[in-house]
Amino acid sequence: MVSAREKALFVLYDIEYNGAYSNIALKKALSPEMSKQDRALVTQLTYGVVRYKLTLDYIISGYSKVKLKKLSRYVLLILRMGVYQLYYTDKIPDSAAVNESVKLAKRYAYKSAGFVNGVLHSVISGRDTLEFPSDRIKYMSVKYSFPEEIVEIFSENEFCGDLLQSLNLEPKMTLRLNTLKGSELNIDGVQLEKSPLYEYAYYAPGFDIAASKEYRDGKFIAQDVAAMLASAALNPGKNELCIDVCAAPGGKTTHLAELMENQGRIVAFDIHEHKTELIRKNAERMGISIIETECRDASDLKEELADKADKVLADVPCSGLGIIARKPDIKWNKEDIDALPVLQYKILETAAKYLKPGGELVYSTCTLNRHENEDVVCEFIRANPEFEFSEVILPGPLMRRNHGYITLYPKIDTTDGFFISKIKRYS
């Protein structure tokens, strides 16, 4: 029988060498017959090693006489798992971390079992005297396990270290009540906690969402509070025309429909046909009838809708640096971040053309990179005098108001990292 650590090893191999996404690889590996404890251990080891890969490699390289790039694939992954257990878990004894790693080495890299044993024992001996680089950027890169390029992006923040640390913490699963189907959310067998940040948000422990009757009945959707606040900031009214230019998978689109009480018209675009299908399925499941989907590039204007919309949502493609806690793969699979603002500006420019005079637009991202956020919207306002910043109002206890834009931080706001800007057309 395959052990939990062996399963985690397979998942990590798939991620590291086959380019699999951690959440998808985990979903394939976690079979229903596994115990709750084994499922939890596989999940912890997988996400833990992915999150702290850079730091783990730094530690291993300090004790291994063989350079990391010369190690066999399995030996490197086994060492990462072992060091993660030694450094980042408090319920796994050192002896178990070492012995189980040696067992894996005997099975998948037999000649290296002694090597693995020696490195891990050396790690234990030197654990209390680990030294980090003296350079500020390199120090934070190694301490918090982030590439130096990302540390550079965040380094302007006075709380850079706290921000990096918060992006390594496991986030809560958050659900949004479908207000078209009730005023309270209850899920059979699941202990829910009402979020203090938004009246229709609930925190839930990890569970199989798709298997729940309440999900199939359309009573909720999984969504972080920050994303909920983007739709709430747009605040569409009944019988308005609302356009969501980057809509998939439909979380914000369906929220807009709920805020409109399923009265009016929402046109939802996405560049991929299979993703517009997700929007349609979510809308159908949630009893929403006002959403029309279309496969369209958000930077390509649909002429017949120009100057027609009351509200527009442009939740644009971004680097995702605000949701690393949920998707740690983002650290290591970075897009060309420098190229993104060009695309984002083009989408914003096109999206604004849908607004009629007096209409409002929300530009949002799930990143904390100023070049994708403030720089894009400020440049747009400078270049387009018929548009001005509008007041962003967030409901609930955050109650933050700002003329133009607001950034939400995991450490401060206990949400995903998120940027919300509001723009109004005056002529």
Side-chain angles (χ1 to χ4, degrees):
M1 185 175 178
V2 178
S3 70
R5 286 177 175 83
E6 203 167 358
K7 280 263 189 184
L9 179 63
F10 298 157
V11 174
L12 289 167
Y13 191 100
D14 202 19
I15 295 167
E16 184 73 16
Y17 299 111
N18 297 327
Y21 291 109
S22 53
N23 60 329
I24 296 174
L26 261 176
K27 188 175 181 179
K28 285 165 53 180
L30 298 177
S31 54
E33 63 270 14
M34 291 176 66
S35 69
K36 184 178 179 181
Q37 290 80 6
D38 280 354
R39 291 169 68 91
L41 181 57
V42 174
T43 301
Q44 180 187 21
L45 292 176
T46 298
Y47 279 124
V49 170
V50 172
R51 282 192 181 101
Y52 292 103
K53 179 169 71 170
L54 188 148
T55 308
L56 299 174
D57 285 357
Y58 177 83
I59 294 169
I60 294 166
S61 64
Y63 297 99
S64 172
K65 293 179 180 179
V66 182
K67 291 185 180 297
L68 267 61
K69 62 182 179 182
K70 296 285 189 180
L71 294 175
S72 77
R73 293 178 172 185
Y74 279 120
V75 169
L76 178 59
L77 293 176
I78 290 166
L79 284 174
R80 284 177 181 171
M81 287 174 57
V83 176
Y84 170 76
Q85 292 169 79
L86 294 174
Y87 264 84
Y88 295 103
T89 65
D90 53 11
K91 294 182 179 178
I92 298 176
D94 289 353
S95 58
V98 174
N99 293 339
E100 293 300 323
S101 297
V102 171
K103 284 182 185 178
L104 288 175
K106 286 179 178 178
R107 179 167 293 189
Y108 294 98
Y110 182 76
K111 292 182 180 179
S112 299
F115 172 76
V116 168
N117 183 63
V119 170
L120 293 180
H121 276 294
S122 296
V123 168
I124 294 170
S125 299
R127 189 165 44 191
D128 296 332
T129 57
L130 177 66
E131 293 185 1
F132 294 103
S134 56
D135 175 82
R136 177 174 176 263
I137 299 298
K138 292 182 185 298
Y139 169 85
M140 288 194 287
S141 171
V142 173
K143 182 174 176 61
Y144 300 110
S145 190
F146 276 80
E148 291 180 27
E149 307 94 288
I150 295 180
V151 177
E152 290 277 6
I153 290 171
F154 292 156
S155 63
E156 295 177 2
N157 292 312
E158 59 183 22
F159 51 89
C160 178
D162 288 339
L163 174 57
L164 293 169
Q165 184 178 37
S166 68
L167 290 171
N168 281 328
L169 300 177
E170 186 176 349
K172 293 181 178 179
M173 177 187 287
T174 314
L175 312 177
R176 191 192 78 237
L177 168 72
N178 178 5
T179 55
L180 300 175
K181 294 202 173 187
S183 57
E184 290 286 339
L185 180 60
N186 295 289
I187 301 175
D188 189 37
V190 178
Q191 187 68 42
L192 298 176
E193 174 192 353
K194 201 155 189 179
S195 168
L197 301 178
Y198 188 61
E199 62 178 323
Y200 302 121
Y202 294 79
Y203 299 128
F207 72 104
D208 188 350
I209 288 177
S212 75
K213 181 179 184 300
E214 292 81 4
Y215 176 80
R216 294 194 300 273
D217 290 344
K219 293 183 178 179
F220 71 89
I221 193 168
Q223 186 182 44
D224 186 73
V225 171
M228 300 180 203
L229 294 177
S231 303
L234 186 57
N235 193 29
K238 290 191 294 184
N239 300 312
E240 289 188 331
L241 169 59
C242 187
I243 300 176
D244 188 348
V245 299
C246 302
K252 297 180 189 68
T253 322
T254 54
H255 192 194
L256 294 172
E258 292 166 30
L259 294 170
M260 295 166 67
E261 299 180 29
N262 203 30
Q263 297 178 53
R265 182 187 180 197
I266 298 175
V267 181
F269 300 142
D270 196 86
I271 196 169
H272 300 292
E273 182 62 42
H274 71 280
K275 290 189 175 181
T276 59
E277 180 63 21
L278 287 176
I279 303 169
R280 288 192 290 271
K281 286 182 176 179
N282 270 319
E284 182 179 0
R285 179 178 61 82
M286 299 175 79
I288 295 167
S289 58
I290 65 169
I291 296 173
E292 306 166 17
T293 61
E294 182 176 332
C295 186
R296 173 175 288 272
D297 186 329
S299 62
D300 177 23
L301 180 70
K302 183 166 183 166
E303 295 286 351
E304 55 264 43
L305 292 177
D307 305 317
K308 298 287 198 311
D310 299 283
K311 302 285 168 60
V312 173
L313 177 61
D315 185 61
V316 299
C318 69
S319 58
L321 301 184
I323 57 170
I324 286 174
R326 296 188 187 280
K327 298 181 177 181
D329 313 68
I330 288 171
K331 289 186 188 183
W332 321 117
N333 301 318
K334 301 183 300 302
E335 296 185 45
D336 183 0
I337 294 177
D338 292 338
L340 282 168
V342 175
L343 172 63
Q344 293 158 343
Y345 187 90
K346 189 175 181 182
I347 291 174
L348 173 57
E349 198 172 39
T350 301
K353 292 176 182 177
Y354 292 119
L355 286 179
K356 65 184 184 182
E360 292 181 308
L361 176 151
V362 160
Y363 171 96
S364 63
T365 74
C366 57
T367 189
L368 298 171
N369 179 13
R370 175 177 57 82
H371 299 301
E372 300 177 66
N373 295 339
E374 293 95 323
D375 288 0
V376 172
V377 293
C378 288
E379 175 59 29
F380 176 80
I381 293 296
R382 281 193 294 269
N384 296 275
E386 68 272 30
F387 295 89
E388 293 182 17
F389 281 124
S390 186
E391 188 173 40
V392 179
I393 302 174
L394 301 185
L398 291 178
M399 278 307 292
R400 286 167 60 186
R401 295 170 176 249
N402 197 353
H403 196 73
Y405 46 82
I406 287 175
T407 302
L408 300 172
Y409 293 95
K411 178 70 175 178
I412 298 170
D413 303 297
T414 64
T415 67
D416 287 345
F418 216 83
F419 177 81
I420 301 170
S421 178
K422 197 168 186 180
I423 293 168
K424 185 170 185 176
R425 178 182 174 184
Y426 282 93
S427 62

